[in-house]
Amino acid sequence: LAKTTQPISMDSYEGQEVNITCSHNNIATNDYITWYQQFPSQGPRFIIQGYKTKVTNEVASLFIPADRKSSTLSLPRVSLSDTAVYYCLVGYSNYQLIWGAGTKLIIKP
Amino acid sequence: NAGVTQTPKFQVLKTGQSMTLQCAQDMNHEYMSWYRQDPGMGLRLIHYSVGAGITDQGEVPNGYNVSRSTTEDFPLRLLSAAPSQTSVYFCASSYASGTYQETQYFGPGTRLLVL
């Protein structure tokens, strides 16, 4: 049974790099990993997506090791406005998405 | 381009009442879905659709009905509201690539309180 597991919460400080790791068993070649960000009273918002190795965009990086059983979202130089819940999910064939339970990230001054 | 819109933003129902939550998207996405999010919890899939005329159940479908008569609209009907259905409801849409969903775009949510 496919499952996506991530830490419940994390704390960090402004200016630090934050890494959130997600484990996902039973992932096939064409399945992909996506991370979303959610602020209170808003819908989730796409951050980054990847299949393997490393993906970088203007807000984050995504590291996926060769076995693809885990992935790490990296947020460089976080600020107070990065305080949010971050969701890892895996996209499987047959339109299935398995969402993690979310990681509540709190950034302190 | 409005993206994904949901109405109403907030609704109060009495137990046993029925209502329809509206969702519309203007991005010509094939895939649409409804999630519920209980306080402090993650998202749970209620129903989804891979195209007009095609719907299927998600993780928590009981007490809800959907239909997809057009590509743009995907209403969610509560048949007989119960306090356990108090939640925030999110609609999402995405392109489909083969049998995979692409990036999902979420609406702003509907807050539902059932008394």
Side-chain angles (χ1 to χ4, degrees), chain A residues 17 20 30 33 35 37 41 44-45 52 55-57 62 64 67 71 89-90 92 95 98 101 104 107:
Chain A
E17 178 183 79
I20 307 175
N30 292 329
I33 298 118
W35 286 81
Q37 176 191 55
S41 303
R45 185 179 70 168
K52 57 184 178 181
V55 179
T56 298
N57 62 23
L62 177 60
I64 304 169
D67 67 5
S71 60
L89 71 95
V90 177
Y92 294 92
Y95 310 106
I98 303 298
K104 186 173 184 179
I107 305 301

Side-chain angles (χ1 to χ4, degrees), chain A residues 31-32 36 38 41 95, chain B residues 35 37 99-101 104 111:
Chain A
D31 301 335
Y32 59 87
Y36 284 82
Q38 187 179 28
S41 303
Y95 310 106
Chain B
Y35 293 88
Q37 186 173 39
T99 61
Y100 286 86
Q101 289 187 56
Q104 285 195 304
R111 293 182 174 274

Side-chain angles (χ1 to χ4, degrees), chain A residues 30-32 36 38 41-44 46 49 87 91-97 99 101, chain B residues 31 35 37 41-43 48 50 90 96 98-104 106-108 111:
Chain A
N30 292 329
D31 301 335
Y32 59 87
Y36 284 82
Q38 187 179 28
S41 303
Q42 294 185 23
F46 171 84
Q49 183 179 84
Y87 290 96
Y92 294 92
S93 62
N94 199 26
Y95 310 106
Q96 298 301 308
L97 297 177
W99 289 77
Chain B
Y31 190 97
Y35 293 88
Q37 186 173 39
M41 305 295 286
L43 297 160
Y48 66 94
V50 300
F90 289 104
T99 61
Y100 286 86
Q101 289 187 56
E102 297 194 2
T103 303
Q104 285 195 304
F106 284 81
R111 293 182 174 274

Side-chain angles (χ1 to χ4, degrees), chain A residues 5-20:
Chain A
T5 305
Q6 54 185 122
I8 293 173
S9 64
M10 292 181 68
D11 291 351
S12 189
Y13 293 90
E14 282 191 292
Q16 298 295 306
E17 178 183 79
V18 170
N19 295 311
I20 307 175

Side-chain angles (χ1 to χ4, degrees), chain B residues 61-76:
Chain B
N62 291 340
Y64 308 94
N65 271 355
V66 291
S67 60
R68 183 99 179 266
S69 55
T70 67
T71 299
E72 294 78 19
D73 300 301
F74 190 44
L76 177 72

Side-chain angles (χ1 to χ4, degrees), chain B residues 9-75:
Chain B
K9 288 192 170 109
F10 182 70
Q11 182 72 47
V12 179
L13 292 178
K14 294 181 180 178
T15 297
Q17 287 185 314
S18 62
M19 78 161 293
T20 299
L21 280 63
Q22 301 293 343
C23 174
Q25 53 91 9
D26 61 359
M27 297 172 281
N28 203 30
H29 286 166
E30 302 96 332
Y31 190 97
M32 296 185 74
S33 53
W34 277 101
Y35 293 88
R36 62 175 288 176
Q37 186 173 39
D38 298 334
M41 305 295 286
L43 297 160
R44 290 189 292 170
L45 182 66
I46 304 172
H47 284 286
Y48 66 94
S49 168
V50 300
I54 306 169
T55 63
D56 207 344
Q57 296 180 350
E59 179 188 355
V60 288
N62 291 340
Y64 308 94
N65 271 355
V66 291
S67 60
R68 183 99 179 266
S69 55
T70 67
T71 299
E72 294 78 19
D73 300 301
F74 190 44

